[in-house]
mmCIF file of all heavy atoms in Angstrom:
data_model
loop_
_atom_site.group_PDB
_atom_site.id
_atom_site.type_symbol
_atom_site.label_atom_id
_atom_site.label_comp_id
_atom_site.label_asym_id
_atom_site.label_seq_id
_atom_site.Cartn_x
_atom_site.Cartn_y
_atom_site.Cartn_z
ATOM 1 N N GLU A 274 -1.679 -3.324 -8.318
ATOM 2 C CA GLU A 274 -2.403 -2.056 -8.174
ATOM 3 C C GLU A 274 -2.255 -1.210 -9.437
ATOM 4 O O GLU A 274 -3.213 -0.489 -9.770
ATOM 5 C CB GLU A 274 -1.776 -1.289 -6.962
ATOM 6 C CG GLU A 274 -2.166 -1.847 -5.662
ATOM 7 C CD GLU A 274 -3.641 -1.625 -5.251
ATOM 8 O OE1 GLU A 274 -4.417 -1.077 -6.074
ATOM 9 O OE2 GLU A 274 -4.062 -2.011 -4.151
ATOM 10 N N ALA A 275 -1.135 -1.274 -10.096
ATOM 11 C CA ALA A 275 -0.897 -0.520 -11.327
ATOM 12 C C ALA A 275 -1.933 -0.958 -12.409
ATOM 13 O O ALA A 275 -2.446 -0.092 -13.123
ATOM 14 C CB ALA A 275 0.517 -0.646 -11.827
ATOM 15 N N MET A 276 -2.164 -2.232 -12.559
ATOM 16 C CA MET A 276 -3.089 -2.747 -13.537
ATOM 17 C C MET A 276 -4.521 -2.400 -13.090
ATOM 18 O O MET A 276 -5.389 -1.989 -13.868
ATOM 19 C CB MET A 276 -2.951 -4.218 -13.887
ATOM 20 C CG MET A 276 -3.911 -4.706 -14.874
ATOM 21 S SD MET A 276 -3.508 -6.353 -15.544
ATOM 22 C CE MET A 276 -2.267 -5.978 -16.716
ATOM 23 N N ARG A 277 -4.806 -2.583 -11.785
ATOM 24 C CA ARG A 277 -6.150 -2.277 -11.291
ATOM 25 C C ARG A 277 -6.530 -0.838 -11.534
ATOM 26 O O ARG A 277 -7.680 -0.530 -11.859
ATOM 27 C CB ARG A 277 -6.133 -2.584 -9.786
ATOM 28 C CG ARG A 277 -7.495 -2.265 -9.081
ATOM 29 C CD ARG A 277 -7.385 -2.613 -7.589
ATOM 30 N NE ARG A 277 -8.520 -2.116 -6.835
ATOM 31 C CZ ARG A 277 -9.618 -2.853 -6.563
ATOM 32 N NH1 ARG A 277 -9.693 -4.100 -6.940
ATOM 33 N NH2 ARG A 277 -10.580 -2.326 -5.856
ATOM 34 N N SER A 278 -5.555 0.047 -11.459
ATOM 35 C CA SER A 278 -5.855 1.507 -11.621
ATOM 36 C C SER A 278 -5.839 1.915 -13.069
ATOM 37 O O SER A 278 -6.136 3.054 -13.352
ATOM 38 C CB SER A 278 -4.773 2.322 -10.795
ATOM 39 O OG SER A 278 -3.493 2.119 -11.423
ATOM 40 N N GLY A 279 -5.562 0.990 -14.033
ATOM 41 C CA GLY A 279 -5.611 1.328 -15.391
ATOM 42 C C GLY A 279 -4.322 1.890 -15.992
ATOM 43 O O GLY A 279 -4.314 2.332 -17.115
ATOM 44 N N ARG A 280 -3.245 1.876 -15.147
ATOM 45 C CA ARG A 280 -1.990 2.411 -15.675
ATOM 46 C C ARG A 280 -0.995 1.410 -16.235
ATOM 47 O O ARG A 280 0.085 1.709 -16.613
ATOM 48 C CB ARG A 280 -1.305 3.123 -14.500
ATOM 49 C CG ARG A 280 -2.170 4.214 -13.810
ATOM 50 C CD ARG A 280 -2.601 5.258 -14.757
ATOM 51 N NE ARG A 280 -3.542 6.206 -14.041
ATOM 52 C CZ ARG A 280 -4.043 7.251 -14.591
ATOM 53 N NH1 ARG A 280 -3.797 7.586 -15.900
ATOM 54 N NH2 ARG A 280 -4.872 8.030 -13.948
ATOM 55 N N LEU A 281 -1.404 0.105 -16.160
ATOM 56 C CA LEU A 281 -0.534 -0.992 -16.691
ATOM 57 C C LEU A 281 -1.445 -1.807 -17.574
ATOM 58 O O LEU A 281 -2.513 -2.305 -17.178
ATOM 59 C CB LEU A 281 -0.032 -1.810 -15.516
ATOM 60 C CG LEU A 281 0.805 -2.993 -15.835
ATOM 61 C CD1 LEU A 281 2.099 -2.645 -16.607
ATOM 62 C CD2 LEU A 281 1.196 -3.744 -14.573
ATOM 63 N N HIS A 282 -0.978 -2.034 -18.809
ATOM 64 C CA HIS A 282 -1.801 -2.686 -19.854
ATOM 65 C C HIS A 282 -1.510 -4.159 -20.120
ATOM 66 O O HIS A 282 -2.316 -4.935 -20.407
ATOM 67 C CB HIS A 282 -1.769 -1.927 -21.148
ATOM 68 C CG HIS A 282 -1.978 -0.444 -20.972
ATOM 69 N ND1 HIS A 282 -1.043 0.508 -21.181
ATOM 70 C CD2 HIS A 282 -3.102 0.195 -20.476
ATOM 71 C CE1 HIS A 282 -1.594 1.749 -20.941
ATOM 72 N NE2 HIS A 282 -2.803 1.579 -20.532
ATOM 73 N N ILE A 283 -0.186 -4.456 -20.039
ATOM 74 C CA ILE A 283 0.297 -5.815 -20.294
ATOM 75 C C ILE A 283 1.316 -6.160 -19.260
ATOM 76 O O ILE A 283 2.182 -5.330 -18.917
ATOM 77 C CB ILE A 283 0.992 -5.917 -21.697
ATOM 78 C CG1 ILE A 283 0.111 -5.325 -22.786
ATOM 79 C CG2 ILE A 283 1.334 -7.354 -22.029
ATOM 80 C CD1 ILE A 283 0.851 -5.122 -24.077
ATOM 81 N N ALA A 284 1.236 -7.386 -18.646
ATOM 82 C CA ALA A 284 2.190 -7.693 -17.572
ATOM 83 C C ALA A 284 2.401 -9.175 -17.434
ATOM 84 O O ALA A 284 1.527 -10.019 -17.719
ATOM 85 C CB ALA A 284 1.579 -7.143 -16.301
ATOM 86 N N GLY A 285 3.646 -9.498 -16.977
ATOM 87 C CA GLY A 285 3.934 -10.826 -16.578
ATOM 88 C C GLY A 285 3.863 -10.934 -15.063
ATOM 89 O O GLY A 285 4.610 -10.221 -14.390
ATOM 90 N N PHE A 286 2.935 -11.717 -14.539
ATOM 91 C CA PHE A 286 2.745 -11.911 -13.134
ATOM 92 C C PHE A 286 3.264 -13.236 -12.655
ATOM 93 O O PHE A 286 3.094 -14.236 -13.368
ATOM 94 C CB PHE A 286 1.269 -11.787 -12.746
ATOM 95 C CG PHE A 286 0.670 -10.424 -12.843
ATOM 96 C CD1 PHE A 286 -0.118 -10.088 -13.931
ATOM 97 C CD2 PHE A 286 0.913 -9.456 -11.847
ATOM 98 C CE1 PHE A 286 -0.725 -8.812 -14.038
ATOM 99 C CE2 PHE A 286 0.377 -8.201 -12.020
ATOM 100 C CZ PHE A 286 -0.441 -7.873 -13.064
ATOM 101 N N SER A 287 4.023 -13.253 -11.561
ATOM 102 C CA SER A 287 4.528 -14.493 -11.029
ATOM 103 C C SER A 287 3.388 -15.515 -10.735
ATOM 104 O O SER A 287 2.190 -15.073 -10.694
ATOM 105 C CB SER A 287 5.304 -14.234 -9.786
ATOM 106 O OG SER A 287 6.449 -13.454 -10.016
ATOM 107 N N THR A 288 3.729 -16.726 -10.603
ATOM 108 C CA THR A 288 2.761 -17.794 -10.466
ATOM 109 C C THR A 288 1.721 -17.534 -9.281
ATOM 110 O O THR A 288 0.531 -17.559 -9.457
ATOM 111 C CB THR A 288 3.459 -19.134 -10.257
ATOM 112 O OG1 THR A 288 4.349 -19.385 -11.298
ATOM 113 C CG2 THR A 288 2.446 -20.272 -10.169
ATOM 114 N N GLY A 289 2.281 -17.318 -8.025
ATOM 115 C CA GLY A 289 1.400 -17.122 -6.960
ATOM 116 C C GLY A 289 0.534 -15.868 -6.973
ATOM 117 O O GLY A 289 -0.607 -15.894 -6.696
ATOM 118 N N PRO A 290 1.159 -14.724 -7.345
ATOM 119 C CA PRO A 290 0.370 -13.526 -7.471
ATOM 120 C C PRO A 290 -0.599 -13.473 -8.655
ATOM 121 O O PRO A 290 -1.481 -12.572 -8.689
ATOM 122 C CB PRO A 290 1.452 -12.439 -7.651
ATOM 123 C CG PRO A 290 2.664 -12.995 -7.006
ATOM 124 C CD PRO A 290 2.586 -14.450 -7.367
ATOM 125 N N THR A 291 -0.559 -14.378 -9.616
ATOM 126 C CA THR A 291 -1.445 -14.328 -10.728
ATOM 127 C C THR A 291 -2.878 -14.316 -10.366
ATOM 128 O O THR A 291 -3.672 -13.502 -10.817
ATOM 129 C CB THR A 291 -1.140 -15.485 -11.734
ATOM 130 O OG1 THR A 291 0.118 -15.253 -12.404
ATOM 131 C CG2 THR A 291 -2.215 -15.619 -12.825
ATOM 132 N N PRO A 292 -3.321 -15.190 -9.404
ATOM 133 C CA PRO A 292 -4.741 -15.181 -9.039
ATOM 134 C C PRO A 292 -5.168 -13.843 -8.386
ATOM 135 O O PRO A 292 -6.287 -13.387 -8.507
ATOM 136 C CB PRO A 292 -4.898 -16.319 -8.039
ATOM 137 C CG PRO A 292 -3.816 -17.295 -8.470
ATOM 138 C CD PRO A 292 -2.689 -16.406 -8.813
ATOM 139 N N PHE A 293 -4.181 -13.183 -7.706
ATOM 140 C CA PHE A 293 -4.501 -11.866 -7.163
ATOM 141 C C PHE A 293 -4.723 -10.836 -8.262
ATOM 142 O O PHE A 293 -5.632 -9.997 -8.251
ATOM 143 C CB PHE A 293 -3.405 -11.417 -6.228
ATOM 144 C CG PHE A 293 -3.335 -12.078 -4.893
ATOM 145 C CD1 PHE A 293 -2.619 -13.269 -4.728
ATOM 146 C CD2 PHE A 293 -4.018 -11.611 -3.806
ATOM 147 C CE1 PHE A 293 -2.615 -13.954 -3.518
ATOM 148 C CE2 PHE A 293 -3.993 -12.221 -2.561
ATOM 149 C CZ PHE A 293 -3.271 -13.442 -2.438
ATOM 150 N N ALA A 294 -3.857 -10.931 -9.286
ATOM 151 C CA ALA A 294 -3.975 -10.009 -10.424
ATOM 152 C C ALA A 294 -5.301 -10.236 -11.160
ATOM 153 O O ALA A 294 -5.973 -9.304 -11.595
ATOM 154 C CB ALA A 294 -2.777 -10.233 -11.373
ATOM 155 N N VAL A 295 -5.659 -11.509 -11.348
ATOM 156 C CA VAL A 295 -6.926 -11.821 -12.004
ATOM 157 C C VAL A 295 -8.081 -11.256 -11.220
ATOM 158 O O VAL A 295 -9.001 -10.630 -11.808
ATOM 159 C CB VAL A 295 -7.075 -13.363 -12.155
ATOM 160 C CG1 VAL A 295 -8.476 -13.745 -12.529
ATOM 161 C CG2 VAL A 295 -6.077 -13.875 -13.174
ATOM 162 N N ASN A 296 -8.120 -11.522 -9.948
ATOM 163 C CA ASN A 296 -9.312 -11.192 -9.112
ATOM 164 C C ASN A 296 -9.329 -9.725 -8.614
ATOM 165 O O ASN A 296 -10.454 -9.194 -8.491
ATOM 166 C CB ASN A 296 -9.364 -12.099 -7.877
ATOM 167 C CG ASN A 296 -9.750 -13.545 -8.287
ATOM 168 O OD1 ASN A 296 -10.853 -13.812 -8.745
ATOM 169 N ND2 ASN A 296 -8.818 -14.477 -8.180
ATOM 170 N N LEU A 297 -8.216 -9.129 -8.476
ATOM 171 C CA LEU A 297 -8.208 -7.730 -7.978
ATOM 172 C C LEU A 297 -7.947 -6.683 -9.075
ATOM 173 O O LEU A 297 -8.366 -5.517 -8.943
ATOM 174 C CB LEU A 297 -7.057 -7.600 -6.927
ATOM 175 C CG LEU A 297 -7.209 -8.342 -5.643
ATOM 176 C CD1 LEU A 297 -5.982 -8.128 -4.716
ATOM 177 C CD2 LEU A 297 -8.468 -7.957 -4.885
ATOM 178 N N ALA A 298 -7.349 -7.102 -10.184
ATOM 179 C CA ALA A 298 -6.891 -6.136 -11.158
ATOM 180 C C ALA A 298 -7.544 -6.395 -12.549
ATOM 181 O O ALA A 298 -7.263 -5.627 -13.514
ATOM 182 C CB ALA A 298 -5.403 -6.120 -11.308
ATOM 183 N N GLY A 299 -8.366 -7.419 -12.700
ATOM 184 C CA GLY A 299 -8.935 -7.723 -14.004
ATOM 185 C C GLY A 299 -7.928 -8.197 -15.011
ATOM 186 O O GLY A 299 -8.137 -7.970 -16.208
ATOM 187 N N ALA A 300 -6.874 -8.796 -14.565
ATOM 188 C CA ALA A 300 -5.844 -9.294 -15.491
ATOM 189 C C ALA A 300 -6.388 -10.558 -16.215
ATOM 190 O O ALA A 300 -7.096 -11.372 -15.555
ATOM 191 C CB ALA A 300 -4.560 -9.672 -14.737
ATOM 192 N N VAL A 301 -6.034 -10.714 -17.496
ATOM 193 C CA VAL A 301 -6.488 -11.853 -18.256
ATOM 194 C C VAL A 301 -5.296 -12.643 -18.728
ATOM 195 O O VAL A 301 -4.617 -12.214 -19.689
ATOM 196 C CB VAL A 301 -7.300 -11.409 -19.459
ATOM 197 C CG1 VAL A 301 -7.804 -12.675 -20.262
ATOM 198 C CG2 VAL A 301 -8.570 -10.645 -19.015
ATOM 199 N N PRO A 302 -4.899 -13.742 -18.077
ATOM 200 C CA PRO A 302 -3.784 -14.508 -18.524
ATOM 201 C C PRO A 302 -4.069 -15.196 -19.862
ATOM 202 O O PRO A 302 -5.142 -15.795 -20.080
ATOM 203 C CB PRO A 302 -3.628 -15.634 -17.382
ATOM 204 C CG PRO A 302 -4.392 -15.078 -16.209
ATOM 205 C CD PRO A 302 -5.522 -14.315 -16.835
ATOM 206 N N PHE A 303 -3.098 -15.081 -20.759
ATOM 207 C CA PHE A 303 -3.253 -15.717 -22.096
ATOM 208 C C PHE A 303 -2.069 -16.455 -22.644
ATOM 209 O O PHE A 303 -2.149 -17.124 -23.658
ATOM 210 C CB PHE A 303 -3.715 -14.627 -23.085
ATOM 211 C CG PHE A 303 -2.623 -13.625 -23.465
ATOM 212 C CD1 PHE A 303 -1.849 -13.810 -24.556
ATOM 213 C CD2 PHE A 303 -2.413 -12.513 -22.663
ATOM 214 C CE1 PHE A 303 -0.824 -12.893 -24.882
ATOM 215 C CE2 PHE A 303 -1.413 -11.607 -22.936
ATOM 216 C CZ PHE A 303 -0.624 -11.766 -24.049
ATOM 217 N N ALA A 304 -0.901 -16.306 -21.971
ATOM 218 C CA ALA A 304 0.343 -16.882 -22.568
ATOM 219 C C ALA A 304 1.292 -17.222 -21.413
ATOM 220 O O ALA A 304 1.299 -16.658 -20.339
ATOM 221 C CB ALA A 304 0.981 -15.889 -23.516
ATOM 222 N N LEU A 305 2.112 -18.207 -21.744
ATOM 223 C CA LEU A 305 3.263 -18.607 -20.888
ATOM 224 C C LEU A 305 4.477 -18.852 -21.813
ATOM 225 O O LEU A 305 4.299 -19.114 -23.037
ATOM 226 C CB LEU A 305 2.985 -19.971 -20.194
ATOM 227 C CG LEU A 305 2.032 -20.009 -19.014
ATOM 228 C CD1 LEU A 305 1.895 -21.480 -18.616
ATOM 229 C CD2 LEU A 305 2.521 -19.173 -17.897
ATOM 230 N N MET A 306 5.659 -18.738 -21.264
ATOM 231 C CA MET A 306 6.826 -19.112 -22.023
ATOM 232 C C MET A 306 6.925 -20.685 -22.017
ATOM 233 O O MET A 306 6.682 -21.300 -20.994
ATOM 234 C CB MET A 306 8.125 -18.592 -21.319
ATOM 235 C CG MET A 306 8.310 -17.124 -21.504
ATOM 236 S SD MET A 306 9.905 -16.641 -20.776
ATOM 237 C CE MET A 306 9.844 -14.797 -21.057
#
Side-chain angles (χ1 to χ4, degrees):
E274 288 288 3
M276 181 166 282
R277 178 182 170 95
S278 65
R280 308 299 177 178
L281 178 60
H282 308 116
I283 309 168
F286 289 103
S287 295
T288 303
T291 289
F293 286 89
V295 167
N296 289 292
L297 294 178
V301 180
F303 68 95
L305 288 175
M306 289 183 180

